[in-house]
């Protein structure tokens, strides 16, 4: 039994909860606004964190709480897991970490829905059934979908699309059956077996949904799963009559959806093509253009001289810069060049790295001024007047096949057109392929020189060589 409170104490608590939820909602909105720009992103993150704290404090004041034992246990366990992930998960594993977070959030939403239905023995009104069904369906498919995305990104299962004949029809039929049961339960609520069948099918559908999606499309899928997890939380809010969950879930759901659309645009793909196109399979079946010639290796001192006497240099960072943690070395090289009067700019591809804004975050960490970062559309017209384009561990985002070879699996994906620069230097460790697994004709062009080695080491040596040039 909850402790008996006087009516004035109850009123104070109720006001406190409402106020903390209102503050939390405002902070979430301000946080999202802050996150929309790299310069304000850190502040936005802190505002959202504070909003989450307000939401938790408000929730802990709820009058329906009988005992705090399980809540404290959950808080301690959750905090420990969060702390460990924050301390030890490297920046390069952020997409996997995000996938796991989506899985946890969605699983919590699904469990709340299942327990609410079970608690009432299935006898809920139609509106509540609608909210519970939506929550459980989205929560369940997001849980398994995110876990599979995690496994693919972590390399625990093959990142390539897993396809079979009639896959889309089978998936559609499964989804239609799940939705059919959901609709039936709204009309005639009460059947526990049907409810569990719906939940089970939704868990299965999550796996089948992500199975045919290639690793190259993971950014879109991740933001889509983020969106589903948010919408599942919003439905949880309706089930529990919790306003802050409704607001936060809706914000999360729709921002995730907008991000998915933006990512699709960045890769010149339609959402249906991402979800049902099994993109990436052609990469393995070898439809990429045949490569002619050899890669030309260049000496570090030659490149240092080229850079030192250039008028304009454009750095194009990619996933390799993240794995090498070379962002500080990049800035050092930029500083050294700028001191010699060279104009330095950075070309940022929206899907470079392994998560949206990956390059912006790393370069901001190294204090690269935001005004030096240029988006794809801004920097591409500048390449013909660029003396040296320095590609730092980027591959897919500078693959000219996307522009020149209609048969390429990445045909149509906008790229940073470094091959139009007067000279291109590619910093990478060896002949490794990019995320899509495709060969890159840029590396075989006459204009390109390859500088092999770990990006951080190479850049550090380049700084010294430029200083002596
Ligand atoms: P990428 O195509 O994955 O290529 C990275 C390159 O970096 C590799 O060719 C590798 O070659 C090199 N490299 C790795 N470690 C290095 C090191 N320590 N030093 C120097 N070079 C190193 O990267 P990208 O051009 O940034 O393209 C991103 C790809 O990831 C796109 O296909 C995108 O769709 C996908 N993706 C993006 C996101 C997102 O949200 N941004 C999420 C998931 C997937 P070597 O092995 O020879 O060194």
């Amino acid at each position: 039994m909850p402790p008996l409170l006087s009516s004035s104490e109850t009123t104070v608590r109720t006001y406190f909860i409402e106020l903390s939820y209102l503050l939390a909602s405002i902070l979430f909105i301000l946080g999202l606004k802050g996150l929309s720009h790299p310069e304000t992103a850190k502040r936005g993150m802190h505002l959202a964190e504070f909003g989450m704290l307000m939401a938790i404090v408000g929730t802990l004041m709820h009058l329906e709480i009988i005992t705090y034992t399980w809540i404290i246990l959950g808080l301690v366990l959750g905090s420990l897991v969060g702390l460990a992930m924050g301390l030890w998960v490297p920046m390069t594993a952020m997409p996997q970490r995000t996938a796991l977070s989506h899985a946890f959030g969605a699983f919590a939403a699904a469990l709340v829905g299942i327990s609410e239905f079970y608690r009432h023995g299935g006898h809920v009104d139609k509106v509540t059934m609608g909210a519970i069904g939506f929550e459980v369906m989205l929560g369940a498919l997001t849980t398994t979908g995110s876990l599979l995305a995690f496994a693919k990104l972590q390399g625990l299962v093959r990142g390539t699309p897993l396809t079979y004949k009639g896959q889309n029809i089978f998936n559609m039929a499964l989804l239609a059956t799940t939705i059919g049961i959901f609709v039936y339960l709204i009309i005639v609520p009460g059947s526990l077996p049907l409810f569990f069948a719906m939940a089970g099918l939704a868990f299965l559908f999550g796996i089948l949904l992500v199975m045919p999606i290639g690793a190259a499309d993971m950014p879109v899928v991740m933001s889509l799963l983020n969106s589903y997890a948010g919408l599942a939380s919003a439905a949880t809010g309706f089930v529990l009559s919790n306003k802050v969950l409704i607001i936060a879930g809706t914000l999360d759901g729709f921002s995730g959806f907008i991000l998915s659309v933006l990512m699709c645009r960045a890769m010149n793909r339609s959402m249906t093509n991402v979800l049902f196109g099994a993109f990436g399979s052609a990469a393995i079946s070898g439809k990429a253009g045949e490569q002619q010639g050899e890669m030309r290796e260049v000496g570090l001192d030659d490149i240092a001289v080229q850079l030192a006497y250039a008028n304009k240099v454009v750095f194009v960072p990619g996933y390799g810069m993240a794995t090498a943690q070379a962002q500080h070395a990049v800035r050092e090289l930029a500083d050294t060049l700028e001191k010699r009067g060279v104009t330095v700019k950075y070309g940022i591809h929206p899907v470079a790295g392994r998560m949206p804004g990956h390059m912006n975050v790393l370069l901001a960490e190294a204090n690269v001024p935001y005004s030096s970062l240029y988006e794809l559309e801004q920097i591409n017209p500048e390449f013909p007047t660029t003396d040296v384009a320095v590609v730092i561990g980027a591959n897919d985002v500078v693959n000219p096949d996307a522009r020149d070879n209609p048969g390429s699996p990445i045909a149509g994906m906008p790229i940073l057109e470094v091959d139009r620069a007067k000279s291109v230097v590619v910093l990478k460790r060896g002949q490794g392929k990019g995320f899509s697994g495709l060969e890159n004709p840029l590396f075989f062009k006459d204009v390109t020189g390859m500088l092999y080695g770990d990006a951080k080491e190479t850049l550090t040596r380049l700084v010294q060589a430029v200083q002596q040039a």
Side-chain angles (χ1 to χ4, degrees):
M1 280 292 289
L4 286 178
L5 299 174
S6 67
S7 67
S8 63
E9 209 175 330
T10 308
T11 317
V12 171
R13 271 210 196 196
T14 311
Y15 276 127
F16 181 84
I17 294 168
E18 291 296 320
L19 187 69
S20 56
Y21 281 0
L22 181 68
L23 270 176
S25 305
I26 293 171
L27 286 166
F28 288 152
I29 293 168
L30 292 176
L32 257 189
K33 172 105 184 57
L35 285 170
S36 63
H37 198 280
E39 268 176 0
T40 53
K42 262 192 187 167
R43 198 180 63 213
M45 196 62 220
H46 293 318
L47 288 174
E49 282 164 1
F50 192 57
M52 186 55 84
L53 183 68
M54 295 303 300
I56 292 173
V57 171
T59 306
L60 289 177
M61 298 301 282
H62 262 278
L63 300 165
E64 294 88 353
I65 296 177
I66 302 167
T67 162
Y68 282 93
T69 318
W70 286 101
I71 294 174
I72 290 170
L73 195 73
L75 266 178
V76 172
L77 260 180
S79 306
L80 284 178
V81 173
L83 191 71
M85 295 214 300
L87 283 176
W88 291 308
V89 174
M91 199 59 186
T92 44
M94 214 37 85
Q96 295 92 301
R97 202 210 68 92
T98 313
L100 266 190
S101 301
H102 293 162
F104 290 151
F107 193 46
L111 287 182
V112 169
I114 291 171
S115 72
E116 278 299 299
F117 189 81
Y118 191 73
R119 191 163 74 92
H120 293 103
H123 300 295
V124 290
D125 62 75
K126 290 186 183 353
V127 177
T128 313
M129 184 59 230
I132 290 180
F134 194 67
E135 174 189 4
V136 171
M137 250 182 14
L138 277 183
L141 74 88
T142 307
T143 306
T144 45
S146 300
L147 284 176
L148 184 56
F150 163 79
K152 281 194 174 201
L153 288 166
Q154 185 65 24
L156 300 177
V157 298
R158 274 194 321 157
T160 47
L162 295 168
T163 52
Y164 55 89
K165 212 165 168 257
Q167 189 169 33
N168 284 342
I169 294 174
F170 181 76
N171 286 357
M172 282 299 149
L174 190 80
L175 181 65
T177 313
T178 317
I179 295 175
I181 300 175
F182 171 39
V183 173
Y184 177 84
L185 282 170
I186 293 179
I187 302 165
V188 193
S191 166
L192 279 174
L194 270 183
F195 179 79
F196 284 117
M198 180 193 78
L201 288 178
F203 277 117
L204 178 65
F205 182 72
I207 298 174
L208 299 178
L209 178 78
V210 177
M211 233 171 71
I213 296 173
D217 272 338
M218 271 311 146
V220 181
V221 177
M222 292 278 298
S223 42
L224 207 59
L225 290 170
N226 174 17
S227 169
Y228 293 165
L231 294 176
S233 310
T236 311
F238 279 108
V239 174
L240 301 178
S241 306
N242 185 314
K243 288 183 201 123
V244 79
L245 258 182
I246 298 175
I247 295 171
T250 311
L251 286 174
D252 189 17
F254 282 96
S255 55
F257 186 72
I258 293 169
L259 183 61
S260 315
V261 173
L262 291 177
M263 299 291 278
C264 275
R265 251 187 235 161
M267 299 197 294
N268 199 23
R269 319 269 319 281
S270 72
M271 193 72 85
T272 31
N273 189 249
V274 169
L275 291 177
F276 307 111
F279 179 68
S281 41
I284 332 133
S285 61
K287 282 191 196 158
E290 287 292 308
Q291 293 321 316
Q292 308 268 321
E294 284 185 4
M295 298 189 197
R296 181 173 60 93
E297 190 173 351
V298 284
L300 186 117
D301 291 329
D302 291 348
I303 301 301
V305 172
Q306 262 196 56
L307 289 172
Y309 293 97
N311 285 319
K312 183 159 78 177
V313 170
V314 175
F315 288 139
V316 174
Y319 178 63
M321 182 187 81
T323 46
Q325 286 293 295
Q327 62 275 22
H328 295 278
V330 175
R331 217 222 47 221
E332 245 184 89
L333 180 59
D335 287 350
T336 313
L337 291 173
E338 278 167 347
K339 270 191 207 132
R340 298 184 65 112
V342 181
T343 304
V344 177
K345 297 184 176 183
Y346 297 77
I348 307 295
H349 194 284
V351 297
R354 290 293 182 271
M355 62 177 183
H358 204 167
M359 297 301 114
N360 300 68
V361 173
L362 292 176
L363 293 172
E365 185 199 313
N367 292 325
V368 172
Y370 183 69
S371 56
S372 301
L373 309 190
Y374 290 79
E375 288 178 14
L376 194 125
E377 304 79 27
Q378 296 170 310
I379 201 73
N380 270 346
E382 293 212 26
F383 280 118
T385 57
T386 298
D387 298 300
V388 192
V390 185
V391 176
I392 307 154
N395 194 336
D396 292 347
V397 300
V398 290
N399 189 337
D401 249 4
R403 180 195 59 210
D404 303 334
N405 176 8
S408 165
I410 55 166
M413 173 176 133
I415 52 152
L416 286 160
E417 299 182 312
V418 290
D419 58 329
R420 300 211 154 129
K422 292 176 196 163
S423 170
V424 186
V425 183
V426 178
L427 273 56
K428 68 202 292 287
R429 294 164 308 176
Q431 321 267 312
K433 304 244 166 57
F435 193 72
S436 65
L438 294 169
E439 194 56 85
N440 190 337
L442 170 74
F443 306 153
F444 299 86
K445 292 202 172 200
D446 293 341
V447 77
T448 309
M450 307 297 289
L451 193 48
Y452 294 118
D454 174 76
K456 189 175 172 181
E457 277 172 38
T458 310
L459 285 163
T460 312
R461 284 171 48 221
L462 260 179
V463 172
Q464 289 163 1
V466 169
Q467 279 164 351
Q468 286 157 13

